[in-house]
Amino acid sequence: GMRLLRSVLFCPGTRPDRILKALTQLPADAVVADLEDAVAPSSKASARSSALEALTGGGWDPSRRTAAVRVNGLDTEHGLEDVRAVCRAVGEDGAAVHAIVVPKVDSPASLAPLGPLLSPLGALAPSVWAMIETPAGVLSAAAVAAHPSVSALVVGANDLTKSLRARPHPSRLPLLLARQTAVLAAR
C-alpha cells in the first residue's frame, strides 16, 4: 500500500538545492519537484534536468521519503517531454521518482499519453497522482481513481477555486463538495 502522506512539499524544479534540502532535512512526508506552475516557460527545459539530477544524485533515502515530479499538462509538448525525461531518469539513471503528478486531469482519457511511456518501465514505473483542478475533473474523480496507473488524487485548491469562479476563503468552504467527492472516489 501507499505510505501515509500527511505533508507534501512542492519545490520549484529550478531549485535543486531546495529539493535536496526538503528530501534530507525537512520533515515532509513527500517532496514534489514542480515543473509546472513554479517554472517560467523559458526555464522549463533547465528545470526538468535540474530537478531530475537532484532526484538521481542520491544523498537521501527513498525508503523514508516519497519523491514525485509534477509535470506540465500532458496536452503540451513540455508535459510529454517531462514524462519522457522522468522515464529515462528512472529506467537508465536509477532516479528515485515514486510518482508523476499530472495537472488538470479531467477524465481517464487525459492520462492516455502516459501508457506507452510508463509501460516499458514495468514494475519500476512511477505511479500517477492525478490532480483534480476543474469541475470536469471533480465529476470524473471516480473514473480517474479507477485508472490502473493512478495511486492518488490531489485536489488542486487554487486552480479549482478559479475554475469554479469561487472566491478564495480560509475555510475552503466552496471546495468542500469537490474535496469530499475526491475522498469518496479515492476510497
Side-chain angles (χ1 to χ4, degrees):
M2 192 166 134
R3 190 181 308 172
L4 176 64
L5 305 177
R6 297 156 302 195
S7 56
V8 178
L9 183 62
F10 282 70
C11 298
T14 51
R15 295 294 306 269
D17 57 318
R18 288 190 190 170
I19 296 168
L20 278 174
K21 181 179 182 178
L23 288 167
T24 57
Q25 298 172 33
L26 300 179
D29 295 316
V31 175
V32 177
D34 189 5
L35 304 180
E36 190 209 18
D37 288 346
V39 179
S42 59
S43 303
K44 297 286 187 187
S46 61
R48 182 184 305 128
S49 45
S50 298
L52 289 172
E53 225 168 87
L55 296 175
T56 305
W60 62 282
D61 183 354
S63 69
R64 296 178 53 107
R65 284 283 190 288
T66 297
V69 176
R70 174 160 64 172
V71 298
N72 288 280
L74 298 182
D75 57 347
T76 70
E77 191 45 48
H78 284 303
L80 295 174
E81 191 46 49
D82 292 341
V83 176
R84 286 192 283 269
V86 168
C87 290
R88 270 194 309 276
V90 169
E92 297 167 22
D93 306 327
V97 178
H98 299 99
I100 294 175
V101 184
V102 179
K104 296 185 179 60
V105 176
D106 286 339
S107 71
S110 306
L111 300 171
L114 292 175
L117 300 172
L118 293 178
S119 61
L121 293 174
L124 290 177
S127 66
V128 173
W129 296 356
M131 294 200 70
I132 305 298
E133 304 182 273
T134 63
V138 172
L139 294 174
S140 299
V144 169
H147 188 284
S149 297
V150 171
S151 68
L153 299 179
V154 179
V155 176
N158 293 339
D159 285 339
L160 184 57
T161 299
K162 277 185 213 135
S163 66
L164 290 172
R165 298 186 194 137
R167 285 204 184 99
H169 190 274
S171 72
R172 297 207 168 142
L173 196 58
L175 303 182
L176 185 60
L177 177 63
R179 293 170 80 192
Q180 288 294 346
T181 301
V183 169
L184 292 172
R187 292 279 178 211

